[in-house]
Amino acid sequence: MKYNGKVLATVIRERRLQLNYSQDYVAGRLEMSQNAYSKMELGQTGITLGKFIVLCEALEIDMTDMLALYRQNLNRTLG
């Protein structure tokens, strides 16, 4: 299975919206600017493992659950 940053970005965005968190709030938790976070959420920039761990904490979701959502969305896009 090939990694798809756009799919992960979509999962991240959907989770943030579920929690009704602003990009600015999550960016602050990741110690990055809102603009840099926005690019990450749009899939324009990659995400390191360290940022992924902190992001999951900020979005109140277990890493394995986030990866499961990613896999579900990836399978949907592959058909």
Side-chain angles (χ1 to χ4, degrees):
M1 174 181 355
K2 188 176 177 188
Y3 170 74
N4 186 321
K6 297 272 186 196
V7 173
L8 181 59
T10 298
V11 171
I12 291 168
R13 182 175 190 276
E14 287 174 356
R15 177 63 183 169
R16 178 181 61 79
L17 292 174
Q18 257 182 357
L19 296 170
N20 202 27
Y21 287 166
S22 68
Q23 284 188 344
D24 196 49
Y25 171 77
V26 179
R29 293 285 308 269
L30 273 66
E31 298 181 349
M32 63 191 327
S33 70
Q34 182 274 328
N35 189 45
Y37 176 80
S38 176
K39 288 180 180 180
M40 187 179 73
E41 199 173 85
L42 292 170
Q44 295 174 352
T45 59
I47 181 170
T48 65
L49 179 58
K51 290 284 185 202
F52 182 75
I53 292 168
V54 177
L55 179 64
C56 288
E57 290 172 1
L59 296 178
E60 302 171 19
I61 187 168
D62 188 78
M63 289 183 292
T64 55
D65 293 336
M66 180 71 87
L67 291 172
L69 290 171
Y70 164 74
R71 188 174 193 132
Q72 288 171 3
N73 278 272
L74 185 62
N75 289 338
R76 266 189 250 144
T77 59
L78 297 176

